[in-house]
Amino acid sequence: MLVILAMLVQDIGETAPAVAAPSETVVVAPAVIRIDTPVELMATKEVSTADVTAGTRFKLRLNKPVIIAEGLTIPVGTWAHGEVVSATDSGGLGKSGKMSARLLYLEYGSNKIPLEGEISTKGTGAGSAGAAVIFAGVAGLFHRGNNAKIKAGEIINAFVAQDTTLVLP
């Protein structure tokens, strides 16, 4: 039976005309993420003036997928990076901490997609030194304000800073 099948295959191969492979070249347009595309991020860890100084970098994660083109999205969980621009720790007399930070980029495969966005925060405090002394007496002189914080889980909105051609992973 196998011999008959082998002979049939051999006969078909001899009589079938040769078919040339198609010589079409498929060109795929590069994926571009456009300027001002909205990006929703979430802080993964608390960033506080108690532990950071200007220049400290921190990570965030993409909270909603970003649609680039039909069938191409940047998935939730993609890492983004930010940097503390200024940080002032809380102090005595109820002085609150202050912090400002800027968003740097979204990291997608080997791509660094530049982001535009800033975060400013101020800690809560007892107010002025006078109020601290009035309400707490001499002990008010030693009352510290609260540190400024970007809380874990906080949602931060950003935008793509410039058109970026992506190298797809």
Side-chain angles (χ1 to χ4, degrees), residues 104-155:
L104 299 173
Y105 59 88
L106 185 63
E107 190 173 345
Y108 179 55
S110 62
N111 303 285
K112 289 185 177 180
I113 303 164
L115 295 176
E116 186 175 284
E118 293 184 8
I119 309 156
S120 292
T121 183
K122 182 179 178 183
T124 58
S128 69
V133 172
I134 289 171
F135 291 112
V138 176
L141 294 172
F142 301 103
H143 176 73
R144 290 183 60 85
N146 292 322
N147 290 305
K149 299 173 186 174
I150 300 170
K151 296 178 182 172
E154 187 173 332
I155 302 299

Side-chain angles (χ1 to χ4, degrees), residues 42 47 79 86 109-110 112 137 154 161:
M42 182 175 60
V47 180
W79 290 112
S86 66
S110 62
K112 289 185 177 180
E154 187 173 332

Side-chain angles (χ1 to χ4, degrees), residues 33-37 39 103-104 113-117 158-164:
I33 187 164
R34 299 287 177 203
I35 187 171
D36 292 334
T37 299
V39 177
L103 300 172
L104 299 173
I113 303 164
L115 295 176
E116 186 175 284
F159 295 93
V160 172
Q162 66 187 40
D163 287 349
T164 305

Side-chain angles (χ1 to χ4, degrees), residues 24-30:
E24 290 182 25
T25 306
V26 177
V27 178
V28 177

